[in-house]
Amino acid sequence: MMEMIQDCDAEFHAPDKDKLNWAETNFFGFYNAEEKLNVGVYALFRTNLRTVNSTICMNSGFAAAPWQADYVDYQSVIPMPEGCSLLDYTLANGLSVRCVEPNMVWEIRFDDGEGTAIDVTYRSLMPAFDIHDPQMDPMVGAHAGKFAWGTAYNGHFDQTGHFVGTVTLRGKRIPIDCISTMDHSWGPRPERGAPNMSWLHAHFSKDLAVHAIFSFDPEQNARDLSLTHGYVVERGEVFGLKAGHGHTVRLRDRFADQVELELTDRTGRVWKLAAKGLTTFPWQCWANMVAFNVLARWEMDGQTGYGEIQDFFELPQLTRLNAQDATRVVAAA
């Protein structure tokens, strides 16, 4: 397992040949805070199967089902183009991604041919944060720091940057100029058995942003969050988090309505921040998995920021939890 992200990590990694479920991903999430429009561009490559799962999602309201969002296109078996490179690819769903500078600058384009399009450029504000590098991530030596989302994050980095461009939603042009966080991961990714995860971030300016990954117990309604990885990026310098916890107040269907975090970085500074959910959207990122996504407004030390909260549950788990909830309601009646 490489302990430092290199330029070559922007390209596909050699998959474990005996793992048909090997996956390599790009996720680019960005938003227009005034419009409350949250946009997610995702590509999951099953390189041993030569297929791609790609989702393009746009949402500005309280969607309880995918079809209630502003725009959704889910395609799970797109053929990988011959000679496909993660540095420059175009998929049959209309998505094109070009890495202009390895792990630093990407161009993201999408056109569905029916009036919805994306044209944005991402420029990093920091080095890629490798969750397996003890020099970057103080949690690596701790039990929680071994969290790799099962094996899906055997290789993984998060990175905060500046997205600029436009989204066209059925002919309406919406400007994009925001600080947000992308990620890239690789490893075996089964469609059953992944632990629960809360992946979230808060962006206050080009000079200050927070990103963190938490685990949680779904049996406790996923209220209490335990830090597994994360960082504060301040004026381009990355401060890995060495401790932290949080508490989530959830709406029905498990969307985060309010979140409170207390985080300690590697220098011992404590960061306290709180979020209020502005949107909801159930992102079915791949088969059997739902991320309860929220665009949130964050407050920290008098500063206001924005960022996404993604809380991941598997569908078999959700059906079991919902059955338990129904039983409790009947028992209390």
Side-chain angles (χ1 to χ4, degrees):
M1 190 178 294
M2 190 172 291
E3 291 187 348
M4 186 175 179
I5 300 300
Q6 308 288 329
D7 285 357
C8 60
D9 289 309
E11 182 57 282
F12 285 119
H13 296 78
D16 295 342
K17 293 183 179 179
D18 63 334
K19 298 291 192 301
L20 292 180
N21 58 20
W22 177 278
E24 185 133 5
T25 69
N26 274 157
F27 173 76
F28 300 97
F30 46 93
Y31 53 89
N32 179 308
E34 290 184 1
E35 299 279 344
K36 297 182 183 177
L37 181 68
N38 195 34
V39 181
V41 175
Y42 187 61
L44 185 154
F45 293 82
R46 297 284 189 185
T47 47
N48 281 331
L49 296 173
R50 307 299 298 171
T51 63
V52 189
N53 176 113
S54 180
T55 68
I56 312 294
C57 306
M58 306 181 190
N59 180 55
S60 61
F62 291 95
W67 53 86
Q68 295 174 333
D70 295 87
Y71 182 89
V72 173
D73 183 11
Y74 289 160
Q75 298 192 37
S76 61
V77 227
I78 302 170
M80 277 184 67
E82 191 67 30
C84 183
S85 167
L86 203 57
L87 300 176
D88 190 354
Y89 61 86
T90 297
L91 303 180
N93 65 342
L95 174 64
S96 297
V97 175
R98 187 167 77 98
C99 185
V100 179
E101 183 180 345
N103 304 318
M104 295 298 290
V105 181
W106 279 268
E107 296 174 346
I108 302 103
R109 310 285 183 266
F110 172 75
D111 191 337
D112 74 346
E114 298 178 352
T116 296
I118 295 169
D119 185 351
V120 300
T121 298
Y122 165 91
R123 298 181 184 278
S124 173
L125 295 172
M126 57 175 283
F129 185 82
D130 184 351
I131 66 170
H132 299 297
D133 183 354
Q135 294 185 2
M136 297 194 82
D137 189 345
M139 298 293 289
V140 171
H143 175 72
K146 301 183 187 304
F147 180 91
W149 208 9
T151 56
Y153 281 5
N154 275 6
H156 178 86
F157 70 79
D158 301 291
Q159 187 181 64
T160 299
H162 188 194
F163 286 87
V164 176
T166 59
V167 166
T168 304
L169 182 55
R170 298 185 187 86
K172 178 184 178 182
R173 287 172 60 86
I174 301 166
I176 299 296
D177 186 350
C178 69
I179 309 303
S180 193
T181 299
M182 61 81 66
D183 78 349
H184 176 199
S185 57
W186 56 96
R189 188 175 296 219
E191 293 180 349
R192 185 77 188 267
N196 295 87
M197 176 177 71
S198 185
W199 188 93
L200 56 78
H201 37 71
H203 313 96
F204 298 95
S205 71
K206 287 184 178 180
D207 293 328
L208 183 61
V210 178
H211 172 74
I213 300 173
F214 296 88
S215 61
F216 59 81
D217 182 357
E219 301 292 343
Q220 301 301 318
N221 200 25
R223 289 184 296 267
D224 296 320
L225 306 175
S226 299
L227 179 71
T228 62
H229 304 284
Y231 60 81
V232 174
V233 55
E234 185 179 31
R235 292 186 290 275
E237 186 174 356
V238 181
F239 298 89
L241 299 175
K242 67 178 183 180
H245 61 271
H247 183 79
T248 300
V249 176
R250 296 188 182 277
L251 297 170
R252 190 170 181 269
D253 289 332
R254 296 179 171 83
F255 290 104
D257 180 49
Q258 300 174 53
V259 177
E260 293 184 355
L261 303 178
E262 182 172 317
L263 309 169
T264 305
D265 71 23
R266 60 176 166 81
T267 70
R269 288 184 300 174
V270 176
W271 304 81
K272 296 181 180 181
L273 55 162
K276 173 64 179 177
L278 302 176
T279 66
T280 62
F281 172 67
W283 176 37
Q284 295 175 262
C285 39
W286 64 84
N288 243 2
M289 182 68 76
V290 178
F292 291 87
N293 284 14
V294 167
L295 178 64
R297 181 178 59 247
W298 290 86
E299 304 290 339
M300 183 172 70
D301 294 332
Q303 300 182 75
T304 298
Y306 296 88
E308 190 170 21
I309 300 166
Q310 301 181 359
D311 292 327
F312 291 85
F313 292 77
E314 288 188 349
L315 286 173
Q317 180 186 73
L318 284 170
T319 56
R320 176 175 56 79
L321 292 171
N322 288 338
Q324 290 175 356
D325 290 346
T327 300
R328 292 189 188 104
V329 169
V330 171

